Amino acid sequence: GKKELIKAWNNVLRTPRRLQRRSRPSGFVLTPPGSNGQKDSNSSDILRKLMDQIVDVGQRADLKRLGEEELSSSYGEFRHYLTERTIYNKRQRAAGKDALDWPLCLTSSSMSETRRQELSKEKMVSKLLYSIQAFTYSCCSESSDCRRLLRSKPVDTSSIYSKFGVGKAVIENNLLLLPRAELSVDGGFQPFDGRLGKTRYMGLALMAAASPVAKEIVQLCIPFPSSSDSSQSDSVFDFDADDDSRTKRAPVAYPLLCSHILTHTAGALIAVTGSAR
């Protein structure tokens, strides 16, 4: 459930292997401005606040771009809890009942604490996937901007490489290669320099966050059968546990060919490398 996931995050995020032997402070345990309490300095709290902010910014941007009516008709991938809240609360209002927040809107009976924690974990995994999607789009945006500048005339190649943290570009500036870490240069931290290099910090945070739920992330991103006799409806989340079997659920992630495939691929890679860590 949620409590186990938070405990795992605390253990994993406390000592990032890549940075724990460095004299520089780890990016995973930076305290947000204005936070002095022990709870706020907890790495998992910072991670959850970051994911909440990413989801909130994305939702507000979509609301401004699409309008409430169009957005509520399709929230898109990794926001299944918003879709379910909208659909079930429409039914609640049609029946003359009060609207309920997710996940209480999913059932007409009382919900056990265990089931509530499991659904809360489900929502957290969904937010983690949405954050991976934001990370993927950020990398694509920065690399696209870098390639655009490299193709412009005249071009100061060394300046662009330094600005974006790129080692070199090959295949007519279509493939960007990031530098390898060298202890003789800036203590081995040069891969984190520049606009593209700085996204590596978020990549490391997502790897650590995905580590305790690597199996769920991989199975959601690339839903291969877990065994030869697995049914097509097998899911890493048991949607029927403690619920009315008539309750219809929205998918946490879309089928691969109906999704942004690059995000799913990045999610699976992040989960696997985080688990290996």
Side-chain angles (χ1 to χ4, degrees):
K2 177 182 177 180
K3 292 180 179 178
E4 288 74 17
L5 178 59
I6 297 301
K7 183 178 179 181
W9 275 353
N10 285 333
N11 292 333
V12 171
L13 292 169
R14 187 173 295 119
T15 53
R17 181 176 297 175
R18 168 69 180 81
L19 302 176
Q20 63 185 350
R21 294 188 296 273
R22 302 294 182 189
S23 59
R24 301 185 184 196
S26 167
F28 296 117
V29 293
L30 292 177
T31 304
S35 299
N36 298 316
Q38 178 68 26
K39 181 179 180 181
D40 286 339
S41 64
N42 185 287
S43 52
S44 67
D45 288 330
I46 297 172
L47 176 65
R48 282 183 288 165
K49 289 175 182 177
L50 172 64
M51 291 193 302
D52 287 342
Q53 186 172 11
I54 290 173
V55 172
D56 183 57
V57 168
Q59 185 176 344
R60 284 191 280 111
D62 288 340
L63 183 63
K64 183 177 181 180
R65 178 171 58 90
L66 300 173
E68 184 174 359
E69 184 176 352
E70 185 174 351
L71 178 61
S72 61
S73 65
S74 177
Y75 281 99
E77 199 166 15
F78 311 134
R79 293 191 285 198
H80 73 291
Y81 51 93
L82 295 177
T83 300
E84 291 175 343
R85 186 185 66 184
T86 300
I87 292 173
Y88 281 103
N89 278 331
K90 281 184 179 179
R91 296 183 183 180
Q92 288 283 101
R93 287 190 290 270
K97 300 179 181 179
D98 293 333
L100 298 172
D101 201 2
W102 192 92
L104 297 178
C105 60
L106 296 177
T107 178
S108 56
S109 57
S110 59
M111 184 178 292
S112 67
E113 181 61 25
T114 300
R115 183 56 179 159
R116 191 192 297 265
Q117 290 290 335
E118 284 295 332
L119 288 169
S120 186
K121 174 186 175 182
E122 181 183 300
K123 183 177 181 179
M124 239 179 234
V125 169
S126 184
K127 288 186 175 183
L128 176 57
L129 285 167
Y130 190 91
S131 299
I132 291 174
Q133 178 175 261
F135 167 74
T136 305
Y137 279 122
S138 296
C139 292
C140 289
S141 176
E142 295 291 0
S143 61
S144 177
D145 196 24
C146 182
R147 289 194 299 269
R148 177 185 62 81
L149 292 174
L150 286 171
R151 292 173 186 145
S152 63
K153 301 294 182 180
V155 57
D156 183 354
T157 304
S158 60
S159 175
I160 295 174
Y161 285 174
S162 176
K163 179 179 181 180
F164 287 89
V166 173
K168 63 178 179 179
V170 296
I171 314 179
E172 297 182 348
N173 296 324
N174 286 305
L175 179 62
L176 305 179
L177 302 179
L178 300 185
R180 292 180 176 272
E182 296 181 12
L183 289 177
S184 59
V185 181
D186 195 24
F189 271 77
Q190 74 275 13
F192 298 91
D193 292 337
R195 283 166 50 177
L196 262 171
K198 285 181 171 59
T199 61
R200 288 190 173 193
Y201 283 114
M202 187 175 181
L204 286 176
L206 292 173
M207 283 169 54
S211 176
V213 285
K215 178 183 176 181
E216 289 92 334
I217 295 294
V218 171
Q219 193 65 14
L220 285 168
C221 290
I222 305 179
F224 295 124
S226 55
S227 64
S228 58
D229 58 351
S230 296
S231 66
Q232 189 173 2
S233 62
D234 281 350
S235 171
V236 293
F237 293 113
D238 185 2
F239 283 169
D240 294 328
D242 296 336
D243 274 346
D244 188 329
S245 59
R246 293 171 296 178
T247 301
K248 301 297 183 182
R249 299 294 311 278
V252 177
Y254 288 172
L256 190 60
L257 296 181
C258 299
S259 67
H260 186 242
I261 296 179
L262 185 57
T263 294
H264 280 239
T265 305
L269 286 171
I270 283 171
V272 170
T273 51
S275 179
R277 179 188 174 280

